[in-house]
Structures are given as C-alpha cells and as structure tokens.
Amino acid sequence: MAWGKYLLSIYTSFCSENLQHFDNKAEALVEKIRQCILQQYENADLNVAWIARQLNYTPNYISRVFCEQTGIPISACIIQMRMDKAIELLCHSEM
C-alpha cells in the first residue's frame, strides 16, 4: 500500500505542476492579448480573429482562455479600451 501512496503523491505533484504551468501560460497569453489591444485599439479591423492571427492561436482558444482568466470577453475589453481612450481624448481636448 505504501507503493500506491508513493505513486499517488508523484501523480498529484505532476498534475499540480502541470496546472501551474497552464496558469502561467494562460496569464502570459492574456497579457499578450491585452498588449495587442492596447497597441491596436485604433485599428478598425481589431477583433478576436485578428488578434488570434497575430498571436498564432485559434479565435476560440484565445476567447476561452481570456474569458476564463479575466471574466470578460475579448470584445468587451476592446470596447472598454476604445471607450476609455475616447473619454481621455474628450477630457483633454480644447473645445
């Protein structure tokens, strides 16, 4: 039975490390997506498919990972960034 517990502890450790690696990879992807949005928010073609092509992932994958990590869809993040920049421009323009 001790052998079984040993194997279970190795398996548990392996799974834990893989989940941590996935979290780090997902967080890095979310940061890349955010940077892409920040740099390209003025681009009229900016959408999930465009970002996916730039980062060499599928649109479904980046959408799922982004929403799981942030709780909001990529399209909502794009809209929010554009709204924030529009407000910033209006507040700092001389009318």
Side-chain angles (χ1 to χ4, degrees):
M1 194 58 147
W3 182 249
K5 287 182 180 181
Y6 174 71
L7 289 177
L8 181 60
S9 70
I10 290 174
Y11 177 75
T12 303
S13 175
F14 176 77
C15 289
S16 177
E17 288 174 15
N18 281 340
L19 286 175
Q20 182 64 36
H21 176 71
F22 176 77
D23 285 343
N24 291 341
K25 188 176 176 184
E27 289 171 10
L29 178 58
V30 167
E31 185 56 33
K32 286 180 184 178
I33 293 168
R34 285 189 170 140
Q35 288 300 313
C36 193
I37 293 169
L38 181 62
Q39 294 169 0
Q40 296 292 323
Y41 71 91
E42 294 174 328
N43 180 350
D45 295 328
L46 182 64
N47 59 30
V48 175
W50 188 92
I51 295 169
R53 279 191 306 274
Q54 300 304 308
L55 301 177
N56 295 317
Y57 289 100
T58 65
N60 288 342
Y61 178 73
I62 68 167
S63 293
R64 181 176 51 82
V65 170
F66 191 88
C67 197
E68 286 175 356
Q69 293 290 311
T70 66
I72 62 170
I74 293 173
S75 57
C77 187
I78 293 169
I79 292 168
Q80 187 61 51
M81 175 66 70
R82 288 175 172 162
M83 294 297 292
D84 290 347
K85 293 298 182 177
I87 291 168
E88 185 179 313
L89 287 171
L90 287 170
C91 288
H92 294 97
S93 68
E94 297 190 21
M95 297 180 100

